[in-house]
Amino acid sequence: MAKKKNKLPLAYQPVGFVLGWAGGALAGKAFRATWKAIRHEDDAPDALDPDRGWGEILLAAAVQGAIFAVVRSAVDRTGAKAIARSTGVWPAKGKGGRD
């Protein structure tokens, strides 16, 4: 069992990469929809946009960061739990994963 535990994080890397990419795409869509609901605009302000103020830019960055963090955590946790259920081993080194 110890040998399997050492190899699993390496085996999980491609799965984690795919989940990360999918999570990023999902978070991007969620952010665009959220920004449209908040400001009724299709495009969020960019930090280098000279026509946008500090408040708008920082609000957009905060909302985007929160959404990306939540989506990433949800995707990572779902993937880890699926690996643990299918293999009996938590995919992170030294982690117990008891829930």
Side-chain angles (χ1 to χ4, degrees):
M1 186 74 152
K3 192 172 190 177
K4 188 175 186 180
K5 193 169 190 173
N6 288 338
K7 288 187 175 186
L8 193 56
L10 180 61
Y12 181 72
Q13 286 178 356
V15 173
F17 176 78
V18 170
L19 289 174
W21 180 82
L26 178 64
K29 284 186 175 201
F31 172 66
R32 285 187 293 280
T34 302
W35 187 257
K36 191 168 187 166
I38 292 171
R39 299 293 300 212
H40 308 290
E41 300 173 348
D42 289 330
D43 296 323
D46 181 78
L48 300 178
D49 189 343
D51 299 326
R52 304 290 187 120
W54 277 97
E56 256 184 315
I57 290 169
L58 295 179
L59 174 64
V63 170
Q64 184 178 31
I67 289 171
F68 271 78
V70 167
V71 170
R72 180 177 176 190
S73 293
V75 167
D76 285 349
R77 185 67 177 190
T78 301
K81 288 189 75 134
I83 292 292
R85 272 194 304 274
S86 64
T87 66
V89 179
W90 195 255
K93 292 181 183 177
K95 307 293 182 199
R98 290 177 244 234
D99 62 324

